Structures are given as structure tokens and as C-alpha cells.
DNA sequence: GTCTATATTGCGATAGAC
DNA sequence: GTCTATCGCAATATAGAC
């Protein structure tokens, strides 16, 4: 129960939800404190203010990314397709472990906070480089269509794999007849569509 | 030149840029007025306040969507592939006419304003229905793979077609070696990848 | 570690002069 | 149509009591 947790933990958990839903500018420290059932002064006491609390939330959200990136160092030996599959697999893992993760990314892209540059340099650009590296290798090996624009193809992959999670809060409204919606199933199908789409065709 | 435009026009144009970049909560009326080189009271005078100004910006941004949706009524006779191509074509047109359009969509998804429901019911759900309709038809006609989850496949298409424009402001940082990046080229390739990916395979 | 009270700043809006 | 001055309110942050 909430009542058993200390103020610091309650604040971090509540802030994760609220910041994800409304963005940094969309939540006030009063709302945060009230929702966490904690005195407003606790935010400064534990996190040195609203920005410090937000930073703590971000760091917690990005922890699985750091873990995933550390595994890519051994990916050189894998085929291009296996590398892309590795990306797809980690996407599914991260979204399962951190269901709100994409929302933080897109809040930052929409309305960057002072932490955006850090996140970007540390994580996002490395993910992008991993994908473009795999695509380059796949084209060189003859696995993927030779006329792909690599940067665009990398954005296509990121788009098709992550879009579901961006709009997930709207899914129930958007898909009234869908009672089987499942994140895992989405990533599998999206990745298959993408891989079939970039593959070198037989008549080429 | 700006100096020749009236205050109302200058406000609308400035607000379009600033709201797109920082979201509704991220911009103050003082910033708006200063950036537009207009007195702060002009916002209430012309637009009845900050929300009215934002609404005016939204309506202007969504005008091409209304035009595109009106054309889908005659799409019944087209094949499923032609219907999806129609969607892809309109995506390219809208992004060319309104480069900031996607940012408004995603600002609304991230941090909904009171206008979100209106936008959503009026436009987004109809686009989604158009896509799912085309996919259903394509599967029935044997054009697309029979085991597609239609709702997921529709989100995949929306994701692959629009992601580029969401992250476009970051493109230069993300793609340091790319000097040919072009929105039109992106949409063509992304659509081709998607279409090849959902197509019924020969050995099925 | 918690809470109240308050300091300070910035917000959106507008009355009323010009 | 434009501008100044100002109102009322909410924001973040913290000093100091307990």
C-alpha cells in the first residue's frame, strides 16, 4: 500500500505517472504533492525541486536503455537481420518494463526540457547509429534492397516499432472493436512488416 | 515583411511556430506578443485570449485534413492498394502544406488541451477508419496477408508514414551525414516498405 | 522527516486612456 | 486598434517551527 511507502518513493512513482501523462510543464508541484499524498515541501527536501524530481524520473525510465545498449557491443558478429531483430526484441522488452517510456521520449521531443540534450546524446543517437549500421551491413551483404535510403529506412523502423506506444492511451477510442490489443503482438507484426518491406526482392 | 502585416496575422503566424515548438503550456502570452511584435492586449482583442488564439491556429492547421477527408468519400471503387496509396499521397501533401502539422498532433496526444476531443472525433478517428477499411478490403481481396491484425497494421502505417515528421526537428543532429534528406522521398520509401511488408507472399 | 506560512515570480486577462 | 497599468491568481521554493 501507498501508506507503507516513504515519501520519496511515493513522489517518484506519482511523478512518473503524472509527468508521462501531462509533460513537465503540465504538472505543478502542488498536484504532484497532493497526488502522492505528501507535503509540498518534500519535493524540495528529497529532490531539490521540481526539475530534480523530473530528472530522477527520467533516469529511472532510461535504465533499461542503458542495459540494452551495453549488449549491442557484441553485435558485430551478428547478421544484419539478426541485429535488427535484436533491436525489435529490446523494443518489446523496454516497453514491457517501462510502459510510459515512449511518452517521456515524445514529451521531450515535443517540449524539450534542459535534460533533452543529455538523453539525446547518451541514448537516442546511439540507438539510431545501431540501426543505420545494421542497415548498411544488410545492404552490403545483399540482404536488403540496395536502393534504400539508410537514414530514412532507420526512421521508418523506429516509427513503425514505437508509434503504437505513443498513441497507446488513445487506443481504446481509436479501435472500438479491438479486444485483443497486445503490445507484444504489435511489435512482432510491425517488425515482420518492416523486414519483409526492406528485404531484397527476388527479381532484383 | 512583418511590418506590413496586421497584428492579427502576425499573431497567428508567430503562435503557429511557438505553439508547435513548445506546446500550449510551454508558451506564455507575453512571449507570444513579444515574438509577434504586438502588444499583449491584442491577443484578447483579436482572439479572446490565449486559448482562442490556439484554437485559431489549430483550425488553420487542420484545414488540409478536411479537404483530404472529403475526397475519401469517392474511394469505395478503388482497390485496397489504391486507397492506401491515396492515404500516402495525402500524407505527403499535408506535410508539405503544413510542416508543423504533426507537431500539433503530438503535442495534443502528449498534453491534451480542451480541443483534443474535437480534433480527435472530427479527423483522426476518420483517418484511422479509412485505413482499417482499406486493409479489410485488401485482405478480403487477397492482396494483403490474411493473418494481419488490422488495427495494428493501421497503426504501423500511420507510424511509418508520420514518424519522420515528428522527429524532423532532430533530423540534423540524428543524421549527421545526410545532406539529401527530403520529406517527399521519405514518404515514398516508407510507403513502399510498408506495402511490400503487408502484401500477401507468393508462397502463401 | 514533516508541515505551515510566506516570499517571489510569472501567469492570463482587461479596464480605461489615447 | 494600440498601449499602460494593474488585478487576481497560481506557480516554485524555502525558512523556520515542530
Amino acid at each position: 500500500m501507498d501508506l507503507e511507502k516513504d515519501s520519496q518513493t511515493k513522489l517518484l512513482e506519482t511523478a512518473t505517472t503524472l509527468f508521462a501523462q501531462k509533460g513537465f510543464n503540465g504538472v505543478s508541484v502542488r498536484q504532484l504533492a497532493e497526488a502522492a499524498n505528501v507535503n509540498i515541501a518534500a519535493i524540495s527536501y528529497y529532490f531539490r525541486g521540481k526539475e530534480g524530481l523530473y530528472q530522477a524520473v527520467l533516469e529511472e525510465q532510461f535504465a533499461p536503455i542503458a542495459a540494452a545498449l551495453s549488449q549491442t557491443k557484441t553485435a558485430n558478429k551478428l547478421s544484419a537481420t539478426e541485429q535488427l531483430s535484436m533491436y525489435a526484441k529490446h523494443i518489446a522488452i523496454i516497453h514491457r518494463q517501462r510502459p510510459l517510456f515512449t511518452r517521456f521520449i515524445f514529451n521531450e521531443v515535443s517540449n524539450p526540457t534542459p535534460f533533452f540534450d543529455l538523453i539525446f546524446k547518451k541514448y537516442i543517437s546511439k540507438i539510431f547509429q545501431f540501426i543505420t549500421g545494421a542497415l548498411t551491413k544488410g545492404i552490403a551483404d545483399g540482404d536488403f534492397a540496395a536502393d534504400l535510403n539508410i537514414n530514412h529506412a532507420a526512421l521508418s523502423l523506429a516509427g513503425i516499432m514505437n508509434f503504437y506506444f505513443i498513441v497507446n492511451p488513445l487506443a481504446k477510442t481509436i479501435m472500438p472493436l479491438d479486444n485483443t490489443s497486445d503490445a507484444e503482438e504489435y511489435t512482432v507484426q510491425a517488425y515482420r512488416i518492416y523486414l519483409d518491406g526492406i528485404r531484397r526482392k527476388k527479381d532484383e
Side-chain angles (χ1 to χ4, degrees), chain A:
Chain A
M1 290 294 294
D2 270 11
L3 295 176
E4 299 167 13
K5 292 174 187 169
D6 61 16
S7 296
Q8 191 172 4
T9 306
K10 283 193 288 182
L11 267 175
L12 198 67
E13 291 176 357
T14 308
T16 301
T17 308
L18 285 182
F19 280 140
Q21 283 173 1
K22 299 165 185 284
F24 182 79
N25 288 325
V27 194
S28 71
V29 289
R30 283 185 221 283
Q31 287 175 275
L32 249 8
E34 191 177 355
N37 201 28
V38 151
N39 188 273
I40 190 175
I43 292 170
S44 283
Y45 182 78
Y46 286 111
F47 299 99
R48 289 187 285 178
K50 185 185 176 184
E51 285 206 351
L53 175 55
Y54 183 75
Q55 185 175 10
V57 169
L58 276 191
E59 281 168 4
E60 204 275 331
Q61 286 291 310
F62 275 84
I65 304 285
L69 278 175
S70 72
Q71 292 189 32
T72 62
K73 289 168 188 163
T74 63
N76 292 332
K77 303 160 194 164
L78 300 177
S79 74
T81 302
E82 285 168 339
Q83 285 181 26
L84 291 187
S85 298
M86 188 177 172
Y87 169 77
K89 190 189 74 182
H90 281 301
I91 286 285
I93 292 172
I94 285 162
H95 288 310
R96 189 170 60 239
Q97 290 179 347
R98 299 282 189 279
L100 301 174
F101 174 75
T102 316
R103 296 190 66 77
F104 283 99
I105 296 270
F106 281 88
N107 283 338
E108 283 292 330
V109 171
S110 291
N111 312 128
T113 69
F115 309 108
F116 177 74
D117 280 349
L118 182 70
I119 292 168
F120 193 79
K121 283 177 187 140
K122 203 167 172 186
Y123 301 108
I124 302 179
S125 65
K126 289 185 182 167
I127 297 172
F128 192 80
Q129 283 162 24
F130 178 76
I131 299 174
T132 52
L135 289 171
T136 305
K137 181 177 166 65
I139 291 172
D141 294 350
D143 296 333
F144 305 150
D147 61 346
L148 286 178
N149 176 315
I150 287 177
N151 284 320
H152 290 179
L155 286 180
S156 293
L157 177 60
I160 205 169
M161 294 302 293
N162 290 291
F163 192 78
Y164 175 88
F165 301 96
I166 306 172
V167 299
N168 209 17
L170 317 175
K172 267 122 202 135
T173 323
I174 237 177
M175 308 185 299
L177 300 175
D178 181 48
N179 51 5
T180 64
S181 188
D182 169 54
E184 207 88 14
E185 184 201 332
Y186 176 84
T187 54
V188 169
Q189 172 172 301
Y191 177 62
R192 207 181 59 202
I193 290 174
Y194 179 81
L195 202 61
D196 282 348
I198 65 169
R199 202 166 265 158
R200 192 182 58 162
K201 306 307 177 293
K202 287 165 190 164
D203 53 357
E204 285 178 354

